[in-house]
Amino acid sequence: MTTRFEDEVTHYRTLPSAQRMQMAGLADVELRKVLFWAEKQMALERSPGSMASVLTGGREWQARHLDLIDKAFIRIANGERMRVLLNMPPRHGKSARAARWAPLWYLARHPDHRVMIASYAAKLAEGHGRWIRDGIKEHGPQIGIELRYGSMAANRFDLAGTPGGLVTAGVGGSLTGMGANVAIVDDPLKDAKEADSPVKLANLWDWWQQVINTRMEPNGSIVVIQTRWSENDLAGRILQQGAEGWTVLDLPALALSDDDPLGRKVGDPLWPERFRRKHLNRFKKDVGERGWWALYQQQPRPLEGGVWKWPWITENRISPQALRGIDLTRTIVSIDTAGGREDSDEVGIIGAGRDAAGEMYLLADRSAKMGAAEWGRAACLLAIDLEADAFVVESNFGGDMAAQIIRQAWAELEREGLTKGLLMSRIIEVTAKVGKRLRAEPIAQLYENGHVHHVGEFPGLEVQYISWLPGMDSPDRLDAAVHGLTELANLATAGTGSAPYADQRLAGRR
């Protein structure tokens, strides 16, 4: 770029996109070439993904979940000290973006800084280092950095004219005397065998505490990106410690909740442009339930020792189409309001039904983080959809208040003309006089004997079933489901409050 155009370029770089386009459109041919060069430089500087797009001619994958990695590194490059934990399924581009393009981009922004990359094997981490080193060799003039002569090893290299550079290591390897402004830990465990090894897990945690954390500069940042393997993998241990100061991003292959980091609806794929639902269903079949929930859904859970087992759910599941041929004699909406537990943040709202033969059906899960007015309306709308004959709500914690919330919500929907002329479902207040395990075990027995059928998939609820162990606080969806199925099965005596209906609302149902 000639001195003649320096002022124009400086001004151009401060403008928003629309004004830059306008300025380029009014420029003469020579200035337009210079502005095109400036636009390319801005793209190289903008983010790791933007740099990747420029240097590959648009061939590098771009996706919303990869943008989250970009945003984290942008914040780090802007001087923010961060601890980032990003859990993501296999083959979704996390290593290419976080352990290759992002370090290359960061070093171009901060050539005087040092980056450290670690993975389960030294050779894998060294492969990332080799890729970054070769990228500097090929694109150095464009991105403004070059390798120092004589310091070009794949596992450790320095940049010319600065103290900056990169070092790689395998988990468990020594990093004595080496410091880092940014440390990237990419897939610290190799496979399920390592994840199930107490020795491997203990060594990983010791290395994490005594090596990585002691090598950081005062304002250094750490990014851990992995596929989950077990409850006690590195991400699991960090979460068990409370994850204070961490930015935690869980990205399941299929969205599990309404507060998904990408704003997806429940069941939406993470990368639909590459892995559609049919592809993910095939992966689920191939890797089995344990692999699916750990590797793809980032929800590793014990499959043995709990009250529920996966086959009890999966082998008795039916489709919504199959339900059309079944006459339900009762349908209910059960609610757990999360009362009495300070750490609860969901209201459990479950729809269930029973047929004349006593088979039971899990029909809907509308559980979510909601205030009183929201959950009251959601429960009533579900009752209208299912033509439910009863609400079941635990009275131990604010039962009277819960009943009043339901009545107010129903009255409001009635005024809005949304109740379809239905009578308000009866409110059955459940008094739980026995422990959670004693309440849950009869329902688990019904599941084991094949008498409970999930109509479709309910990921949030099903994970809670499988992950719940005796002695743990039972979560809200599970509690709501147990209360509802107990009412339908007539298993409890003093706890259910079951009684005949005086208004004959069940007349006509078999």
Side-chain angles (χ1 to χ4, degrees):
M1 182 180 67
T2 62
T3 306
R4 171 188 166 194
F5 295 119
E6 284 182 356
D7 290 342
E8 285 89 341
V9 169
T10 300
H11 175 63
Y12 178 83
R13 291 173 67 98
T14 66
L15 299 175
S17 178
Q19 293 185 30
R20 294 202 306 272
M21 291 180 63
Q22 184 179 23
M23 181 175 174
L26 296 174
D28 59 34
V29 174
E30 191 171 354
L31 176 57
R32 193 174 299 164
K33 291 179 181 179
V34 174
L35 295 181
F36 175 78
W37 172 86
E39 190 69 41
K40 184 176 180 180
Q41 290 302 119
M42 291 171 68
L44 288 170
E45 299 165 6
R46 188 173 297 124
S47 71
S50 182
M51 171 183 278
S53 181
V54 171
L55 295 182
T56 65
R59 294 188 304 276
E60 179 67 17
W61 285 104
Q62 304 300 324
R64 290 197 305 148
H65 65 284
L66 299 178
D67 288 341
L68 292 179
I69 299 176
D70 287 352
K71 289 175 182 177
F73 276 92
I74 290 170
R75 291 171 63 183
I76 292 169
N78 288 338
E80 189 172 346
R81 180 182 182 271
M82 293 192 71
R83 297 289 187 269
V84 181
L85 176 58
L86 181 60
N87 301 318
M88 190 184 298
R91 310 306 303 160
H92 278 65
K94 65 184 186 304
S95 294
R97 183 59 55 88
R100 294 189 171 186
W101 285 110
L104 179 63
W105 175 84
Y106 182 86
L107 287 172
R109 288 282 303 271
H110 293 284
D112 58 331
H113 284 190
R114 298 201 68 82
V115 173
M116 183 183 297
I117 300 176
S119 191
Y120 65 80
K123 284 191 174 295
L124 180 60
E126 185 178 309
H128 294 323
R130 180 177 293 105
W131 187 96
I132 297 166
R133 180 202 64 187
D134 294 346
I136 295 173
K137 286 181 178 180
E138 181 178 357
H139 304 294
Q142 289 179 267
I143 61 179
I145 54 176
E146 62 178 308
L147 297 167
R148 182 184 300 173
Y149 179 78
S151 179
M152 301 183 184
N155 65 343
R156 181 172 182 172
F157 60 77
D158 301 314
L159 298 180
T162 78
L166 181 141
V167 62
T168 72
V171 166
S174 174
L175 291 166
T176 304
M178 303 176 187
N181 301 92
V182 177
I184 300 161
V185 181
D186 175 51
D187 279 335
L189 286 169
K190 179 181 180 181
D191 52 27
K193 183 177 180 180
E194 288 195 355
D196 288 336
S197 167
V199 173
K200 284 284 187 181
L201 293 175
N203 290 340
L204 170 59
W205 188 246
D206 287 344
W207 175 84
W208 166 258
Q209 291 183 306
Q210 300 172 22
V211 179
I212 282 289
N213 281 282
T214 61
R215 302 265 61 86
M216 300 309 300
E217 294 294 331
N219 202 42
S221 293
I222 300 177
V223 180
V224 177
I225 298 187
Q226 68 164 82
T227 292
R228 295 300 307 274
W229 285 101
S230 78
E231 290 181 293
N232 294 312
D233 59 17
L234 181 57
R237 291 293 297 272
I238 291 170
L239 293 170
Q240 290 166 26
Q241 297 290 319
E244 183 178 353
W246 284 81
T247 298
V248 180
L249 296 170
D250 279 311
L251 293 172
L254 296 175
L256 289 172
S257 65
D258 293 329
D259 59 353
D260 181 77
L262 293 173
R264 296 177 291 164
K265 295 180 181 178
V266 173
D268 283 353
L270 179 60
W271 199 355
E273 298 84 1
R274 189 176 186 197
F275 296 114
R276 296 193 293 274
R277 184 67 184 260
K278 67 176 183 180
H279 298 123
L280 296 173
N281 286 339
R282 187 167 66 243
F283 294 156
K284 182 177 181 180
K285 183 178 180 181
D286 290 343
V287 302
E289 289 288 345
R290 185 182 186 189
W292 169 254
W293 284 103
L295 300 178
Y296 286 87
Q297 294 299 84
Q298 313 311 305
Q299 296 284 335
R301 291 295 187 267
L303 296 189
E304 300 298 333
V307 176
W308 268 267
K309 311 297 181 187
W310 274 119
W312 303 352
I313 298 172
T314 58
E315 293 177 5
N316 297 296
R317 196 188 307 278
I318 68 170
S319 68
Q321 292 74 21
L323 183 69
R324 293 173 187 167
I326 297 170
D327 290 328
L328 298 179
T329 58
R330 287 198 67 190
T331 53
I332 57 96
V333 172
S334 54
I335 304 156
D336 184 272
T337 61
R341 294 198 297 274
E342 294 180 358
D343 60 341
S344 296
D345 57 2
E346 280 193 334
V347 175
I349 301 177
I350 301 295
R354 185 187 69 191
D355 65 16
E359 296 295 293
M360 281 165 286
Y361 303 87
L362 205 298
L363 304 172
D365 180 3
R366 301 286 173 84
S367 309
K369 296 179 182 179
M370 291 179 279
E374 293 175 291
W375 76 249
R377 188 177 180 89
C380 288
L381 287 172
L382 178 57
I384 293 166
D385 289 344
L386 299 179
E387 297 186 9
D389 60 83
F391 294 102
V392 178
V393 61
E394 186 173 348
S395 61
N396 295 42
F397 300 108
D400 292 341
M401 183 181 295
Q404 185 60 29
I405 289 169
I406 293 170
R407 293 188 185 98
Q408 290 175 351
W410 189 276
E412 181 179 336
L413 292 170
E414 202 165 33
R415 287 192 296 271
E416 296 174 17
L418 298 177
T419 56
K420 302 179 182 179
L422 297 171
L423 290 169
M424 186 185 123
S425 308
R426 180 183 178 186
I427 298 175
I428 299 174
E429 295 182 5
V430 176
T431 302
K433 294 183 178 180
V434 296
K436 293 180 183 296
R437 176 166 187 159
L438 291 178
R439 280 182 280 156
E441 282 185 335
I443 301 303
Q445 188 71 42
L446 290 172
Y447 272 87
E448 183 178 11
N449 293 334
H451 295 308
V452 183
H453 312 273
H454 287 201
V455 183
E457 295 186 359
F458 304 100
L461 172 64
E462 291 169 10
V463 167
Q464 289 187 1
Y465 271 140
I466 302 306
S467 63
W468 186 68
L469 298 169
M472 295 171 55
D473 282 339
S474 51
D476 309 303
R477 297 173 194 243
L478 185 151
D479 272 352
V482 167
H483 286 317
L485 293 170
T486 299
E487 166 64 23
L488 291 174
N490 291 323
L491 287 174
T493 54
T496 65
S498 297
Y501 291 97
D503 56 21
Q504 299 299 306
R505 72 186 66 197
L506 297 182
R509 295 192 184 189
R510 292 186 293 161

